[in-house]
């Protein structure tokens, strides 16, 4: 393998989608709000963001 092919392999990276970065930020805020609202409403049925813990999966697996 010559040096030119080695450098070409290093430069091949996965594409970056900026919208996913923004959505990950929204997911992080959703988790923060979820934890805050746990103090306010202990009953998940009354909590408007009762399934906010699912944002963790989105954050780590995108």
């Amino acid at each position: 393998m010559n040096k030119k092919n080695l450098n070409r392999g290093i430069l091949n990276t996965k594409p970056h989608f900026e919208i996913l970065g923004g959505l990950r930020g929204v997911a992080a805020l959703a988790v923060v709000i979820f934890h805050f609202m746990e103090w306010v409403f202990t009953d998940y049925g009354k909590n408007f963001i009762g399934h906010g813990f699912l944002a963790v999966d989105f954050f780590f697996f995108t």
Side-chain angles (χ1 to χ4, degrees):
M1 187 181 264
N2 62 17
K3 193 171 187 177
K4 186 181 256 186
N5 288 338
L6 181 64
N7 288 339
R8 195 174 297 168
I10 291 172
L11 295 177
N12 289 338
T13 60
K14 292 172 29 177
H16 177 73
F17 299 103
E18 291 185 16
I19 189 70
L20 285 178
L23 288 174
R24 288 181 75 204
V26 171
L29 287 174
V31 171
V32 170
I33 293 170
F34 169 73
H35 284 299
F36 174 74
M37 294 306 289
E38 280 183 316
W39 292 343
V40 178
F41 298 112
T42 55
D43 181 18
Y44 290 115
K46 295 178 183 177
N47 191 344
F48 73 93
I49 195 163
H51 296 286
F53 60 89
L54 295 174
V56 174
D57 292 339
F58 180 81
F59 183 85
F60 283 112
F61 296 116
T62 57

